[in-house]
């Protein structure tokens, strides 16, 4: 129906297929380096081998090595490497100054870390105090509201008592008048 796009078509491989390539080993030996091992072992075991032959086989079997050159060693405090003798006291003085400054810096960093940890502790305490303060303020506000409600209730009860007290005295006077009328009858 539809033809395949060019990118989906399989490309022919340039590698020969399996089994069609036959590796041919040379008779001289296997691998990139081959040595005549029989001559090498004869060299070690016998003393009657010609010296020119022995030298050739040894040079062929062992790679050429360059002689090692000693590396210059710089020892701490070695004063032979400096340019002049007048610089030695200056260098020693600079080293002492550097040590003093490094120790001073370490002391200051320790003090800074201690003050930071102390600041963190104080911040925690401040937050706890602020929480307590806000809780106490809320409690004071609720108590003030309760006090206002109680004072309203108290004034209402006093007003009620005042009206009931007037009614009571009125009733008592009426009762006394009624009892006097009964006695008069």
């Amino acid at each position: 129906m539809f033809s395949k796009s060019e990118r989906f078509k399989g490309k022919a491989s340039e590698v020969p297929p399996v089994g069609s390539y036959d590796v041919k080993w040379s008779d001289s030996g296997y691998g990139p380096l081959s040595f005549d091992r029989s001559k090498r072992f004869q060299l070690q075991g016998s003393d009657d081998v010609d010296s020119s032959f022995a030298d050739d086989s040894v040079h062929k079997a062992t790679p050429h090595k360059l002689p090692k050159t000693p590396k210059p060693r710089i020892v701490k405090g070695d004063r032979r490497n400096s340019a002049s003798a007048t610089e030695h006291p200056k260098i020693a003085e600079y080293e002492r100054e550097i040590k003093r400054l490094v120790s001073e810096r370490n002391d200051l960093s320790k003090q800074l870390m201690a003050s930071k940890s102390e600041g963190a502790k104080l911040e925690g305490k401040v937050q706890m105090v602020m929480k307590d303060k806000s809780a106490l303020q809320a409690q004071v506000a609720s108590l003030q509201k309760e006090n206002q409600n109680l004072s309203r209730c108290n004034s209402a009860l006093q007003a009620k008592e005042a009206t009931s007290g007037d009614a009571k005295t009125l009733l008592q006077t009426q009762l006394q008048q009624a009892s006097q009328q009964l006695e008069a009858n």
Side-chain angles (χ1 to χ4, degrees), residues 59-131:
H59 289 299
K60 288 180 183 176
T62 59
H64 294 288
K65 292 183 180 178
L66 296 174
K68 291 184 179 179
T69 58
K71 294 181 181 177
R73 293 170 59 193
I74 299 173
V75 179
K76 185 177 181 181
D78 189 12
R79 304 206 186 268
R80 291 178 291 172
N81 295 334
S82 65
S84 69
T86 59
E87 292 180 3
H88 298 311
K90 289 181 182 177
I91 292 173
E93 183 181 334
Y94 290 148
E95 287 176 353
R96 283 191 297 270
E97 183 69 19
I98 288 171
K99 286 180 184 178
R100 184 187 64 79
L101 290 173
V102 167
S103 65
E104 185 178 332
R105 180 177 179 253
N106 289 338
D107 293 340
L108 289 175
S109 65
K110 286 178 185 176
Q111 289 176 357
L112 179 65
M113 293 299 290
S115 62
K116 281 184 179 180
S117 65
E118 187 68 28
K121 288 178 186 177
L122 289 176
E123 281 184 30
K125 288 180 181 178
V126 165
Q127 287 178 354
M128 291 298 292
V129 167
M130 293 301 287
K131 273 186 184 179

Side-chain angles (χ1 to χ4, degrees), residues 4 6 9 15 18-19 37 40 44 54 58 79 135 140 148 157 166 173 175:
K4 284 187 175 181
E6 287 295 319
K9 290 183 181 177
V15 178
V18 177
R37 290 191 170 97
R40 187 175 74 184
Q44 289 178 358
V58 169
R79 304 206 186 268
V140 165
Q148 287 175 352
L157 286 175
D166 291 337
T173 55
L175 183 63

Side-chain angles (χ1 to χ4, degrees), residues 44-65:
Q44 289 178 358
S46 64
D47 292 332
D48 58 344
V49 178
D50 186 27
S51 65
S52 64
F53 172 71
D55 289 336
D56 289 341
S57 65
V58 169
H59 289 299
K60 288 180 183 176
T62 59
H64 294 288
K65 292 183 180 178

